[in-house]
Amino acid sequence: MSHVHAQPKSIGTSYSLSSIGIAYEHNLNEECFINVGLQSEMLGVFMNRKNDPGLSASLSCNFNIIEWKSRNDNIISFFAGPGIAFGIADDFRKDRGYFIGLKGRIGAECSFDRHISISASLNPMIGSHLVIMEEHVEMKYYRNGLINAILPEISIKYMF
């Protein structure tokens, strides 16, 4: 059993061009772990279109596909899995609204013997964006979810 599985929890931060957040991971067994994230949706702020960020939460169940252990007990693993996400944010060139969708997650993680892990992942989402206006309600697909498919997310976590 590797040291990563002996320490089944980790918490840290995540960064991408569209969001900044907090991430928590919990190993269910050697092949599967869950990832819970709380993000501040910053794409409109970064593009100077909005002044206030949105907020989102996500949950994904990830499966370890391949895992390599180095001579000095560092572990590189590749993972993928499905999940869900919801929140309130501005869509790409649209008004603020509520979104919900099915999320995918694919990436790689390097776990160091010093209880630190660094990961990079892509997080595409297919979902709906609901905008409530005074005169009508508008529901369309959530374009920012597809933009996340090409914007990598970097996470740095402490394992305990």
Side-chain angles (χ1 to χ4, degrees), residues 56-124:
S56 70
S58 64
L59 172 70
S60 64
C61 182
N62 302 279
F63 301 94
N64 289 323
I65 300 169
I66 298 173
E67 188 174 279
W68 288 300
K69 187 173 183 179
S70 70
R71 285 180 273 166
N72 54 356
D73 288 335
N74 297 332
I75 296 174
I76 297 174
S77 59
F78 294 89
F79 59 85
I84 59 170
F86 61 92
I88 183 168
D90 301 313
D91 198 4
F92 187 71
R93 296 187 179 167
K94 297 286 181 183
D95 290 326
R96 175 153 300 199
Y98 301 95
F99 68 88
I100 187 165
L102 297 175
K103 177 181 178 175
R105 190 162 184 254
I106 184 166
E109 180 174 68
C110 184
S111 302
F112 299 98
D113 196 30
R114 304 269 184 225
H115 303 284
I116 300 293
S117 70
I118 299 173
S119 65
S121 63
L122 295 175
N123 304 293

Side-chain angles (χ1 to χ4, degrees), residues 2-10 24-35 62 64 67 109 111 159-160:
S2 66
H3 76 280
V4 173
H5 303 299
Q7 295 151 4
K9 301 172 192 167
S10 63
Y24 172 77
E25 287 184 359
H26 186 90
N27 288 354
L28 299 176
N29 55 42
E30 289 187 14
E31 293 86 30
C32 181
F33 65 94
I34 59 170
N35 179 286
N62 302 279
N64 289 323
E67 188 174 279
E109 180 174 68
S111 302
M159 299 180 301
F160 57 99

